[in-house]
């Protein structure tokens, strides 16, 4: 099998597109191919509205929008989470413009974290159904996804968090493959259960 | 907006899938929302059938509620908390005669998330040892 090592060609500032130029490593058989891959983006969004809302000792839905700037589909199979002590911050509006006093990103504030997160950063959690984000500009890109019951609120959540919005702590990575034959229809529902 | 930096790890032979390992640069986040506790919408009060000069309240369960707090108003006075229960029915003790009572119920989620009180119940009169 051809082994291709990724080489970062141009990593921009945060949120800027970064292209990766891929070359062949020693030992490859010459059948590999070069590729230039642009970043995916994941954005916190409020639409569609989550069906399951958070409450102390309960789980709730969260919603993301995934954008694929590449000319080919991308299939995401796993998401990597920060550790369980990474908490969501509370916001007063769905646009996440103003933080909510008393409901900060702490255990005594929101007490909201990712469900099934562990004490270790970067644990990978397999999606129930792989997400195929279509090529840029095609139907299914961007892809809105409701992650069902993948946020959890602890017992110490402040009462100031009632009825407000949360921006979850950032994913630490995803596992994805290029390609995918059947793009996921947006909006989609997915998640992990362990 | 969040940017995911893709690190291509290996590609297969011609035609095989190309795999990426992807890490996050910046904030790749998601949005959730917390519920607002709501009070029972159908609190009804009736004279107790088991205790003289007492009132029984009933209401429908609120999803995820941990307890319900009962507030009592005597003869038009302010409502004050008099009991807490995890059930959806509650019976008062013997009430003071020649008084009128109405009640409200609020929902508690978890330990501290308290809803607004429900609409007050219809007032019931206590006459001597009887309720009407």
């Amino acid at each position: 099998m051809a082994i291709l090592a990724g080489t970062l060609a141009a990593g921009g500032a945060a949120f800027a597109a970064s292209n990766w130029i891929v070359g062949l490593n020693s030992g490859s058989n010459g059948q590999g191919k070069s590729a230039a891959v642009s970043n995916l983006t994941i954005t916190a969004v409020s639409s569609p509205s989550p069906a399951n809302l958070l409450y102390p000792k309960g789980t709730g839905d969260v919603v993301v929008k995934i954008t694929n700037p590449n000319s080919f589909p991308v299939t995401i199979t796993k998401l990597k989470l920060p550790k369980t002590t990474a908490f969501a911050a509370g916001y007063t509006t769905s646009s996440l413009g103003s933080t909510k006093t008393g409901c900060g990103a702490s255990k005594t504030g929101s007490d909201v974290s990712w469900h099934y997160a562990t004490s270790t950063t970067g644990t990978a959690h397999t999606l129930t159904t792989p997400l195929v984000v279509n090529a840029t500009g095609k139907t299914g890109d961007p892809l809105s996804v409701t992650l069902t019951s993948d946020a959890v609120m602890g017992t110490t959540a402040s009462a100031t968090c009632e009825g407000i919005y949360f921006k979850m702590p950032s994913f630490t990575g995803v596992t994805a493959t290029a390609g995918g034959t059947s793009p996921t229809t947006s909006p989609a529902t997915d998640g992990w259960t362990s | 907006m969040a940017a995911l930096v893709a690190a291509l790890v290996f590609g297969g032979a011609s035609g095989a899938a190309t795999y990426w390992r992807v890490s996050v640069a910046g904030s790749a986040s998601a949005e959730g929302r917390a519920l607002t506790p709501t009070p029972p919408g159908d609190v009804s009060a009736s004279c107790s059938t088991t205790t003289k000069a007492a009132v029984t309240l009933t209401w429908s369960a609120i999803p995820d509620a941990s307890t319900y707090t009962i507030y009592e108003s005597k003869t038009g006075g302010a409502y004050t908390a008099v009991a807490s229960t995890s059930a959806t029915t509650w019976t008062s003790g013997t009430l003071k005669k020649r008084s009128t009572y109405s009640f409200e119920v609020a929902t508690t989620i978890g330990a501290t998330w308290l809803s607004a009180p429900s609409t007050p119940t219809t007032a019931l009169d206590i006459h001597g040892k009887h309720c009407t």
Side-chain angles (χ1 to χ4, degrees), chain A residues 1-2 4 6 15 20 22 33 37 39-42 44-46 53-55 62-64 72 74 94 96 157-159 161-168 170-174 176-178, chain B residues 1-37 64 109-115:
Chain A
M1 183 190 316
L4 301 179
F15 313 138
W20 293 79
V22 179
K33 55 191 176 185
V37 180
N39 294 342
L40 301 174
T41 64
I42 296 181
V45 293
S46 59
L53 303 183
L54 287 158
Y55 60 93
V62 294
V63 186
V64 299
F72 46 85
V74 172
S94 62
L96 305 180
S158 166
C161 300
E162 293 178 16
I164 69 166
Y165 302 85
F166 296 96
K167 184 177 183 180
M168 296 299 293
S170 294
F171 296 110
T172 60
V174 303
T177 61
Chain B
M1 183 171 62
L4 296 180
V5 178
L8 184 56
V9 176
F10 63 88
S14 180
T18 298
Y19 293 88
W20 304 347
R21 284 179 184 163
V22 183
S23 59
V24 176
S27 174
S29 191
E31 181 168 338
R33 189 176 185 187
L35 59 75
T36 300
D64 309 316
I109 307 285
T112 60
W113 288 24
L114 183 66
S115 77

Side-chain angles (χ1 to χ4, degrees), chain A residues 128-172:
Chain A
T128 302
T129 304
L131 293 169
V132 181
V133 188
N134 209 352
T136 183
K138 294 189 175 181
T139 302
D141 171 62
L143 177 64
S144 294
V145 184
T146 297
L147 300 170
T148 304
S149 298
D150 282 330
V152 61
M153 178 177 276
T155 58
T156 61
S158 166
T160 60
C161 300
E162 293 178 16
I164 69 166
Y165 302 85
F166 296 96
K167 184 177 183 180
M168 296 299 293
S170 294
F171 296 110
T172 60

